[in-house]
Amino acid sequence: MLTVKEILEQRLFSKENLVTLLGAKGTDGLLILKKGGEVKLQQVGNNVYFRGLIELSNVCEKDCLYCGIRKSNEAVTRYNLTDEEVLEAARFAYREKYGSIVIQSGEVTNEIFVARIERLIKEIKALSNNQLGITLSLGEQTEEVYRRWYDAGAHRYLLRIESSNPELYRKLHPDDGHHLYQQRLNALRAVQRTGYQTGTGIMIGTPWQTLEDLADDLLFFKDFDVDMLGMGPYIEHDETPFKNVEAELLPLPERFNLSLKMVAILRMMMPDINIAATTALQAIDPLGREKAVKAGANIIMPNITPGKYRNNYLLYNNKPCTDEEPEQCAGCLDARLALADGEIGYGEWGDSKHFKKKERFNA
Ligand code: SAM
Ligand code: SF4
């Protein structure tokens, strides 16, 4: 079997290599993070791009077993931002030169919701002189809906596959006919066909997940030719059915380290994509996102949802920054990123270089 050092010298990684890298500990583990950071600097530079995250609503038609805002959680106070609150958050992002926003929400598929998003996208484009980039993370929709939102002006879409192993996907979701792996995959394909910069991802350290699963996930991302990736540790939420399977889980620090290794390895496998340093990392380690930036991530999503709603968008325990207003988030990130040798790419869209190359190739 090859050593970690020998594997890192290769250009391509087999599944067996990936499992070895993911299992590396101590100095071998640090070597992986270091290489991920070096590849990032060579390929996409030290710029970190901000996407102002607007958590539009916690109303959800789905019941994912891991998620705190799943429809069956009756302890959640449901909310919907008003249109004016969404537009004000977008104005804030524009003023602060964030370059882009992400609109994220529980999954809702009715026409009122679809038309509302379409209208909001157009209004955000208008208020920002067409300058703000818009990423959507609104779950599984029909191809026609993806097209309507794309035509309105959104240009990136995030839909995590959650696991590329259909069997594991099945265990993470209720068996109610509304949570089908094939449906999720088809939706992701529809996003890509529509022309969005396509983002996907997974949670790391879910119950029953193995290193082989994670290796397959990495190969899936490459094979799918994604442009953007968002992955972070799975973190328990006390009001979900998974509360009772805690015994199956890796300790949080291990989930954290595994997440950093996933970022670093993916950066080596897909050097020119955008990789997010996700908020869930910060829930485990206060400097979690900055550590991910050092290991290969180049996107951060500061939360710009009005503070009064944040306590109701709790996907997992200890979600950070729930008592802050957008202004506070921005200030603290600036200083911390400097520690991670990252420089904020203010006023730029920070599109995936990978997507741009594909566009040029297909032109
Ligand atoms: N509803 C949309 C969807 O599921 O695609 C978008 C919003 S959803 C809250 C965004 C992501 O949150 C999910 O894709 C999932 O990976 C992540 N998430 C949910 N529960 C989580 C948990 N307990 N720990 C970590 N991440 C979680
Ligand atoms: Fe709804 Fe998304 Fe949470 Fe699943 S992960 S319950 S779709 S908000």
Side-chain angles (χ1 to χ4, degrees):
M1 204 173 74
L2 295 177
T3 63
V4 164
K5 195 160 175 289
E6 285 165 342
I7 295 172
L8 292 179
E9 277 158 15
Q10 299 182 153
R11 281 197 56 233
L12 292 173
F13 303 142
S14 67
K15 180 172 172 182
E16 192 192 0
N17 295 157
L18 291 172
V19 172
T20 306
L21 294 180
L22 290 168
K25 299 243 158 23
T27 46
D28 275 350
L30 292 176
L31 212 56
I32 296 170
L33 304 190
K34 185 161 172 280
K35 182 80 189 270
E38 284 168 5
V39 172
K40 182 189 86 165
L41 290 178
Q42 280 158 15
Q43 298 287 332
V44 293
N46 71 338
N47 266 359
V48 176
Y49 299 101
F50 275 0
R51 317 279 187 238
L53 174 64
I54 304 174
E55 293 163 339
L56 177 83
S57 168
N58 64 359
V59 176
C60 188
E61 295 169 359
K62 289 278 187 74
D63 227 0
C64 307
L65 297 172
Y66 42 80
C67 177
I69 62 171
R70 61 199 296 270
K71 119 180 139 182
S72 296
N73 186 0
E74 290 177 0
V76 175
T77 307
R78 302 288 164 178
Y79 74 84
N80 235 310
L81 261 60
T82 64
D83 285 2
E84 188 41 38
E85 284 168 333
V86 177
L87 298 177
E88 189 43 42
R91 277 186 213 107
F92 170 84
Y94 184 46
R95 251 194 335 266
E96 295 291 316
K97 299 196 168 35
Y98 274 17
S100 291
I101 56 165
V102 180
I103 304 178
Q104 191 184 80
S105 162
E107 193 173 302
V108 177
T109 52
N110 63 45
E111 174 55 28
I112 294 174
F113 179 82
V114 170
R116 180 179 181 219
I117 298 294
E118 194 174 23
R119 196 180 59 244
L120 283 170
I121 294 169
K122 288 183 185 159
E123 290 184 29
I124 291 166
K125 281 292 184 190
L127 72 79
S128 68
N129 218 1
N130 255 345
Q131 302 275 304
L132 268 182
I134 303 181
T135 305
L136 300 178
S137 173
L138 303 170
E140 291 167 39
Q141 306 284 343
T142 62
E143 189 153 350
E144 189 210 332
V145 168
Y146 289 141
R147 164 68 52 201
R148 278 171 67 181
W149 292 342
Y150 183 82
D151 289 344
H155 78 301
R156 308 186 189 108
Y157 204 100
L158 290 172
L159 184 73
R160 288 187 179 181
I161 192 72
E162 313 297 3
S163 168
S164 64
N165 174 350
E167 187 54 28
L168 179 56
Y169 188 92
R170 196 180 57 72
K171 288 185 176 168
L172 299 177
H173 297 93
D175 182 17
D176 61 0
H178 300 297
H179 297 77
L180 301 170
Y181 174 78
Q182 199 53 47
Q183 217 163 281
R184 190 97 182 153
L185 186 60
N186 289 345
L188 193 59
R189 289 199 176 116
V191 165
Q192 199 173 46
R193 262 198 311 274
T194 305
Y196 288 96
Q197 290 179 41
T198 302
T200 191
I202 51 154
M203 288 169 293
I204 294 154
T206 64
W208 309 294
Q209 186 184 56
T210 63
L211 293 186
E212 282 75 13
D213 287 325
L214 289 173
D216 281 333
D217 289 334
L218 289 166
L219 294 167
F220 170 88
F221 302 148
K222 182 147 172 83
D223 189 49
F224 203 93
D225 204 17
V226 293
D227 308 298
M228 324 182 289
L229 223 299
M231 55 187 170
Y234 160 70
I235 302 177
E236 305 86 319
H237 187 291
D238 291 340
E239 290 149 6
T240 66
F242 276 4
K243 182 172 166 39
N244 301 322
V245 295
E246 260 165 302
E248 313 250 359
L249 297 175
L250 286 176
L252 281 175
E254 278 186 44
R255 274 181 251 169
F256 180 82
N257 286 334
L258 198 48
S259 301
L260 291 187
K261 270 188 281 178
M262 285 288 285
V263 166
I265 297 168
L266 184 66
R267 175 58 73 197
M268 293 176 233
M269 293 171 73
M270 303 189 76
D272 56 358
I273 66 168
N274 278 345
I275 303 180
T278 57
T279 312
L281 289 161
Q282 198 192 347
I284 300 182
D285 180 331
L287 283 174
R289 289 187 297 185
E290 292 74 6
K291 288 180 181 172
V293 165
K294 262 206 130 141
N298 65 333
I299 301 289
I300 285 201
M301 303 199 256
N303 199 333
I304 57 168
T305 311
K308 67 176 174 182
Y309 295 108
R310 295 205 194 165
N311 262 322
N312 296 319
Y313 200 86
L314 298 182
L315 312 177
Y316 43 79
N317 298 339
N318 301 326
K319 190 164 171 241
C321 301
T322 49
D323 53 356
E324 282 180 5
E325 288 294 337
E327 296 76 9
Q328 292 166 286
C329 270
C332 75
L333 267 168
D334 247 334
R336 285 144 149 231
L337 275 171
L339 299 174
D341 306 329
E343 201 170 304
I344 299 164
Y346 279 117
E348 296 175 55
W349 276 14
D351 277 336
S352 152
K353 289 197 171 168
H354 187 73
F355 183 82
K356 297 208 146 174
K357 272 188 211 157
K358 279 195 292 191
E359 258 186 340
R360 276 199 296 274
F361 185 76
N362 293 328

